[in-house]
Amino acid sequence: MITLAVDCMGGDHGPRVTLAACRQFLDSHPDARLLLVGQPDALAGFAHERASVVPASEVVGMDDPIEMALRRKKDSSMRIAIQQVKDGAAAAAVSAGNTGALMAISRYLLKTLDGIDRPAIAPQLPNAKGEATTVLDLGANVDCSAEHLLQFAVMGSALVSALNNEEAPSVGLLNIGEEQIKGSEVIKRAGELLRAAGKAGHLNFYGNVEGNDIFKGTTQVVVCDGFVGNVALKSSEGVASMISNALKQEFKRNIFTKMAAIVAYPVLTALMRRVDHRRYNGAALLGLRGLVFKSHGSADALAFEHALKRAYDAARNNLLDRVRTRISAALPLLLAAQSESGPSAP
Amino acid sequence: MITLAVDCMGGDHGPRVTLAACRQFLDSHPDARLLLVGQPDALAGFAHERASVVPASEVVGMDDPIEMALRRKKDSSMRIAIQQVKDGAAAAAVSAGNTGALMAISRYLLKTLDGIDRPAIAPQLPNAKGEATTVLDLGANVDCSAEHLLQFAVMGSALVSALNNEEAPSVGLLNIGEEQIKGSEVIKRAGELLRAAGKAGHLNFYGNVEGNDIFKGTTQVVVCDGFVGNVALKSSEGVASMISNALKQEFKRNIFTKMAAIVAYPVLTALMRRVDHRRYNGAALLGLRGLVFKSHGSADALAFEHALKRAYDAARNNLLDRVRTRISAALPLLLAAQSESGPSAP
């Protein structure tokens, strides 16, 4: 039996979406149990033999400053959900709430692994090879140092290695050109650290990649600052939804195009399923001493259910121990990078 | 008669693409003249009564370091093309060559306008409103300061204002959330400068926008660091080409889907035309004392022809004077920001 703690109040839609997803998830996972964390009134309508409510009186707002979420809302559904992981009551926590708050509370309660300064969020995005590219950080880590980027590379490599049972997944550094001379000062220095790690056999470092390589699947892992990663992800979502809306508009233009739409319906459905970003919802927070998964804030029930599945798979496959083992192996490398540049700001 | 100087050797494909584009362009623009800059041997096959060859013995490679392009290749086609603008022989120069080299050589030869530290590249991307979003910088300006971002805002606003005859185009600051507290230190400081400029009536500042807002068309201008802008653009191109390839694959799957493709053909063609990024090729380098346009390095003939058209339209509409006037008006604002933070690194 695998138990997950669900922050039922988080996200743009709250319990309306999270509870619908929980029901679907429980129906398709007979060995799963859910701890539904939130305001009891809001969760009162939900009854399932493998679900129980864990009360939490407060809710972290999507716009709440991190400080407020961390210091003033000590009985928030987000915090209580993570506390279940810390206490060993749940194998993983899932939340669609405020990313910055989730990172800060997770880090405060669970602590980071040795050698890791900041947890990172590592979603898997679909690529043209029909596989997934793991991109990190897509959390709220802005102003990352070169040492942080090296830590992200080790964590991302450990994640893919654990998920795919692969010895050395390829890692690319997101940059504005393939050449080593390209990029900001931090990126150039990160390139040096990653090349050194590659030469020493700690990483399968491919070199620089560009934004389009995420979707080409040039490397299995792409490493970037949280600011850049967020912009890349949101821009991609923006262009994908622009194209899908344009497709709908063109098919609705007149009676002939509407007839064409009927004929093309199965093809369009297959396409939409293939590029549906809801199927890729649910990203691991890496580098913590516990499993936490982040869902997109705007997730609908289908998307939130996918985040629950990811957390469930990770718990069942013992992801935490596998990532921890990998990071321990790379610890001398991470500590060497830190001491070379002085202590890294957390 | 409007004369453009064309770097015929630049880009991934060189004269094969640039000359084909030049012929198309000349045929559709009877009042245009082209100065074809490049190695005479490579351009020998091209003859047109409104085109003449300006010889240049060297070529800037796509991977050449900026220093080499600037200091050692003084007879490059890129440099000679820009020299034509400086000498008044051409109204604008167009190149598909190495972005960093184009920025550096343009700045060295043409100099920046008063109050502007660095030129910026400002492409116009299609948005869901059927209009264009001007995003800058998408050049090679990495490690931008808050003052640089303010300059980009003023330049972008001036460009859209001149192109659309609009008094105060809306400007957004690319960030990872709408709230003022979000983002890196530089972005937060840039937000302060932009808000102050907005309150003083120098800019129509909307506030923070996110990556998807570029394609929603939330604001007419989006301001960002060159690194972030490049990643956003390349990621968007990556996802767009992944979707369009998936669409082709799904329609080719079997005999039924192939028949559906025939029925849906006119709709798909209309869609492809709508999202075809080649139609948006050609971005102004802003902030210089002369007009230079950058084409995508991988442009085909159709795309390069669009870049020529943009440069032609800009020259005909007297874009340079109009941008210069706008920037002069904002000069006190720009100088105040610079002096507040000490002299800004170029």
Side-chain angles (χ1 to χ4, degrees), chain B residues 80-258:
Chain B
I80 301 301
I82 298 165
Q83 187 69 44
Q84 304 308 304
V85 175
K86 179 166 185 183
D87 295 346
V94 181
S95 175
N98 183 328
T99 308
L102 187 68
M103 296 271 280
I105 295 174
S106 299
R107 184 175 164 184
Y108 178 76
L109 289 181
L110 299 174
K111 312 298 179 205
T112 53
L113 294 166
D114 291 336
I116 303 298
D117 293 315
R118 301 170 166 189
I121 296 188
Q124 300 195 290
L125 304 180
N127 65 38
K129 291 182 175 168
E131 297 163 3
T133 308
T134 300
V135 185
L136 74 169
D137 173 56
L138 266 76
N141 282 312
V142 299
D143 291 324
C144 288
S145 68
E147 292 73 28
H148 291 138
L149 294 172
L150 172 64
Q151 293 171 17
F152 296 167
V154 170
M155 292 195 280
S157 181
L159 173 72
V160 175
S161 171
L163 290 177
N164 300 6
N165 266 320
E166 223 173 304
E167 203 41 50
S170 55
V171 177
L173 176 64
L174 191 58
N175 202 337
I176 58 172
E178 285 171 22
E179 310 81 30
Q180 295 183 13
I181 54 152
K182 289 280 172 91
S184 64
E185 291 310 314
V186 167
I187 291 293
K188 284 186 220 169
R189 164 97 181 113
E192 287 168 21
L193 290 176
L194 289 168
R195 269 191 298 281
K199 278 187 190 145
H202 292 295
L203 271 183
N204 176 8
F205 182 51
Y206 170 88
N208 289 338
V209 293
E210 299 186 71
N212 49 340
D213 289 305
I214 296 172
F215 300 98
K216 271 192 199 165
T218 306
T219 57
Q220 292 169 282
V221 178
V222 171
V223 172
C224 59
D225 177 283
F227 190 98
V228 173
N230 180 292
V231 170
L233 181 70
K234 296 259 173 78
S235 302
S236 314
E237 288 175 0
V239 87
S241 85
M242 180 177 77
I243 294 174
S244 98
N245 287 335
L247 194 60
K248 280 178 207 149
Q249 281 175 18
E250 290 297 339
F251 272 115
K252 281 185 188 157
R253 192 172 287 280
N254 59 44
I255 181 74
F256 301 107
T257 59
K258 281 179 189 162

Side-chain angles (χ1 to χ4, degrees), chain A residues 95-143:
Chain A
S95 175
N98 183 329
T99 307
L102 186 67
M103 296 272 280
I105 295 174
S106 300
R107 185 175 163 185
Y108 178 76
L109 290 181
L110 300 174
K111 312 298 178 206
T112 53
L113 294 166
D114 291 336
I116 304 297
D117 293 315
R118 299 170 167 190
I121 297 187
Q124 299 195 291
L125 305 180
N127 65 37
K129 291 181 175 169
E131 297 162 5
T133 307
T134 300
V135 185
L136 73 169
D137 173 56
L138 266 76
N141 282 313
V142 299
D143 291 325

